[in-house]
Amino acid sequence: MAHVEFLDETMRDGQQSLWGMRMQAGMALPVSPLIDRTGFRVIDLAGSSLMEVLIKHAQENPWEGLDLLVNSMPRTRLRGGMRSNASVTFGVTPDALMDLWMRQLNEHGIRSFWIYDVLYNIDKMHRLAKVAKEYGSEVAGSIMYVQSPVHTDDYFAEKAGQMAASPDIDTILLYDTAGVLEKERLQTLIPAIRAKIGDKPIEFHANNILGQSGKAYLDAVDLGVTILHTASRSMANGPSVPSTESVVKNLEILGHTHNLDKTLFKPVEEHFRAVGKAAGFLVDQFNEYDVLAVHHQIPGGMTGTLKAQLAQHKMTDRLDDVLEETAKVRRELGYPGMATPFSQLVGTLAVLNIVTGKRYSVIPDEVIQYAAGYYGETVAPIDDNVLDQIMTSSRAKEVLAAPPEQPSIEDLQKQYGTTDPDELILRALVPGPALDKMRAAGPVKTTYPLLSSPELDQVRKLLKVANLPLVQIQSSQLDLTLRGGA
């Protein structure tokens, strides 16, 4: 029997997958001390995309909110995540800014990191890991799992071995964004990775998109995995990870042990369910098995983005066509791993192909950069005909004439007009007007109004279907008038 440690994803992957990264600090602060006392090995918390969304959509200072959350959880090591070569954009971020981003997260109390790169620029991953070690932080090198003819066990094991060769990498994280790993593949993949990484622990993260990741967790433990990523039940499943509650129960039935205080599960679950309902976000998700998902391997959170893009063109009925096109584009682009930024690039290109009716007639700049090798070497060659269309597109000449630059930190300070590291990162993340709105909104709120009830839920439903600018609700105890545009 094994002793299993847990990494909590409620406030990072859970809210990223279900809430679109719009979790404000006040939504979590009432229960973050409970999560801190539960006994998790690590609590995942921070990411650059989350900070960008908070600034743009919640007008909340992410550094201030991060400090509040960090201070509320003094017992547990807190984690931040980063791509090896980009802080937030779909392009390439200068190394100097990436190093600064790593240092500032450490300065704000983050002491565990997962670093990933689906094209495996190992040198950049090792460089960031070394920066993290300046603060004594833990680092997980990530294997972003994807199914394709070129992503073999040997391929993944070789990359894991290259990562683990650095003394600055403490664990290897097997990360299955599409939730497609099953026992048969785990039985060959995990031993292959183990043979290359020595005695370094393996973490496992699998989004429960196909409803089978909970079983994959149990199979992984039998194969020697000792760290599992889960989320509180209301923030779990669907495009998120399996719930802590279900995984703990199943492990106990099988005789495995853990250090979690189960009495703290319920209040956390109930709190996030109430907040999610009050904010109009998803909670309590479950997905049915969909074999098409095995082919396109789009992360759960990306599906909402594709739906929004189709809605802009009044083509929401074409979602299945887009998913099938995504599988084709992914194959033609050389099977890039379906994680940021390539899940977005492949998905957006698929939407453009469907909307325009002519494949590859519109090529985003980032796809040109990918084809030019600016992100790193492609896993497999790009289809010759597609590569020709990309490189002869209208924007190709201009994009190829401006490869990513590597300015110094002094250059960046001059570019963004500040020597304050926190402020420099914010200015690099988002344009000035968004920062002005954030500051005008005042300090971070430490609570969130839980305005939810069966009556309010009915009002929300009425507002969604009402086609007049006025809704009136009358009862013996209520006389309510709502006017559109308020």
Side-chain angles (χ1 to χ4, degrees):
M1 297 300 102
H3 182 76
V4 179
E5 297 181 292
F6 283 79
L7 183 146
D8 180 68
E9 289 285 3
T10 303
M11 295 179 285
R12 205 281 298 171
D13 190 75
Q15 68 98 3
Q16 178 174 343
S17 297
L18 303 185
W19 295 4
M21 297 182 285
R22 300 192 184 195
M23 186 196 80
Q24 300 168 51
M27 294 174 168
L29 282 167
V31 293
S32 55
L34 297 182
I35 300 174
D36 184 41
R37 299 207 313 267
T38 301
F40 290 105
R41 181 181 190 274
V42 174
I43 297 171
D44 202 359
L45 188 62
S48 58
S49 296
L50 168 62
M51 298 182 80
E52 179 195 23
V53 171
L54 285 175
I55 295 168
K56 289 182 175 179
H57 297 285
Q59 287 76 54
E60 179 167 295
N61 187 319
W63 288 124
E64 183 183 344
L66 179 62
D67 288 342
L68 289 169
L69 287 167
V70 169
N71 290 335
S72 74
M73 296 182 285
R75 304 179 182 208
T76 312
R77 186 186 292 123
L78 306 179
R79 174 167 286 189
M82 61 177 60
R83 227 163 81 219
S84 78
N85 57 4
S87 60
V88 65
T89 67
F90 293 152
V92 178
T93 298
D95 292 347
L97 190 57
M98 291 303 302
D99 292 350
L100 180 66
W101 169 235
M102 172 63 85
R103 288 192 174 94
Q104 288 313 108
L105 284 176
N106 275 280
E107 291 288 343
H108 284 267
I110 302 300
R111 287 293 183 272
S112 177
F113 294 88
W114 67 286
I115 304 173
Y116 80 96
D117 185 330
V118 293
L119 296 185
Y120 297 100
N121 291 284
I122 303 292
D123 56 334
K124 291 181 180 290
M125 299 174 77
H126 283 170
R127 192 196 75 249
L128 286 170
K130 188 174 292 295
V131 175
K133 286 302 177 185
E134 294 174 8
Y135 296 82
S137 291
E138 172 191 69
V139 180
S142 305
I143 293 293
M144 306 304 287
Y145 180 77
V146 60
Q147 287 186 1
S148 83
V150 292
H151 287 91
T152 64
D153 290 351
D154 288 342
Y155 175 88
F156 287 125
E158 185 63 30
K159 299 302 182 186
Q162 291 173 15
M163 280 187 273
S166 168
D168 300 323
I169 299 293
D170 301 289
T171 66
I172 295 298
L173 167 57
L174 177 57
Y175 200 119
D176 181 11
T177 60
V180 294
L181 270 168
E182 298 182 79
K183 183 175 184 178
E184 184 179 16
R185 184 67 188 272
L186 287 167
Q187 286 177 322
T188 59
L189 176 61
I190 291 177
I193 291 174
R194 169 60 62 205
K196 293 287 188 177
I197 67 171
D199 59 357
K200 292 188 176 182
I202 298 176
E203 306 181 26
F204 190 24
H205 178 120
N207 294 95
N208 206 16
I209 295 170
L210 299 180
Q212 63 185 25
S213 295
K215 173 63 164 58
Y217 277 15
L218 302 181
D219 295 332
V221 169
D222 287 341
L223 293 165
V225 170
T226 56
I227 305 167
L228 300 177
H229 293 202
T230 59
S232 179
R233 176 170 278 130
S234 55
M235 300 294 287
N237 298 313
S240 180
V241 289
S243 74
T244 307
E245 292 86 344
S246 66
V247 176
V248 164
K249 178 182 177 182
N250 289 332
L251 288 173
E252 288 179 344
I253 290 173
L254 295 174
H256 302 299
T257 59
H258 62 84
N259 287 332
L260 300 186
D261 183 349
K262 296 188 294 183
T263 66
L264 299 176
F265 289 176
K266 198 68 176 176
V268 174
E269 173 193 349
E270 291 175 344
H271 171 80
F272 281 107
R273 179 177 295 113
V275 171
K277 288 184 175 180
F281 297 148
L282 296 176
V283 292
D284 298 318
Q285 293 298 291
F286 293 93
N287 282 1
E288 294 179 326
Y289 188 88
D290 181 1
V291 73
L292 181 57
V294 180
H295 295 287
H296 61 66
Q297 295 182 43
I298 292 174
M302 240 326 262
T303 304
T305 302
L306 296 180
K307 289 178 179 177
Q309 290 174 339
L310 288 173
Q312 292 174 356
H313 299 279
K314 296 181 170 45
M315 298 176 69
T316 53
D317 59 317
R318 302 291 303 277
L319 179 61
D320 282 347
D321 294 335
V322 167
L323 295 178
E324 290 178 7
E325 178 67 13
T326 298
K328 275 188 203 174
V329 170
R330 175 175 166 261
R331 181 177 64 250
E332 292 166 346
L333 290 185
Y335 296 104
M338 293 300 280
T340 301
F342 302 118
S343 56
Q344 290 87 343
L345 297 187
V346 171
T348 298
L349 197 48
V351 170
L352 290 170
N353 287 352
I354 294 296
V355 168
T356 63
K358 185 178 180 182
R359 303 187 77 231
Y360 299 105
S361 60
V362 179
I363 310 289
D365 289 0
E366 292 82 5
V367 175
I368 301 169
Q369 293 175 331
Y370 165 74
Y374 293 169
Y375 292 97
E377 185 179 350
T378 60
V379 180
I382 299 173
D383 178 270
D384 287 340
N385 291 330
V386 171
L387 182 61
D388 182 63
Q389 287 176 276
I390 292 171
M391 292 309 190
T392 58
S393 61
S394 59
R395 289 275 304 151
K397 187 174 182 180
E398 187 174 346
V399 172
L400 295 174
E405 298 178 347
Q406 287 292 350
S408 67
I409 197 66
E410 291 77 19
D411 293 332
L412 292 168
Q413 290 170 345
K414 186 179 298 183
Q415 177 182 346
Y416 293 107
T418 181
T419 58
D420 179 83
D422 284 356
E423 180 66 15
L424 193 158
I425 289 171
L426 293 185
R427 293 184 187 182
L429 288 177
V430 298
L435 291 177
D436 293 339
K437 286 184 180 180
M438 176 197 79
R439 293 191 173 95
V444 170
K445 296 176 178 62
T446 57
T447 58
Y448 186 82
L450 300 179
L451 298 176
S452 183
S453 68
E455 293 79 13
L456 281 172
D457 290 341
Q458 289 299 318
V459 170
R460 290 191 185 95
K461 291 177 182 177
L462 280 172
L463 287 173
K464 287 181 179 179
V465 300
N467 54 17
L468 295 174
L470 179 71
V471 175
Q472 290 182 314
I473 303 171
Q474 290 182 322
S475 70
S476 60
Q477 296 178 319
L478 177 68
D479 188 345
L480 176 66
T481 300
L482 299 173
R483 299 181 186 277

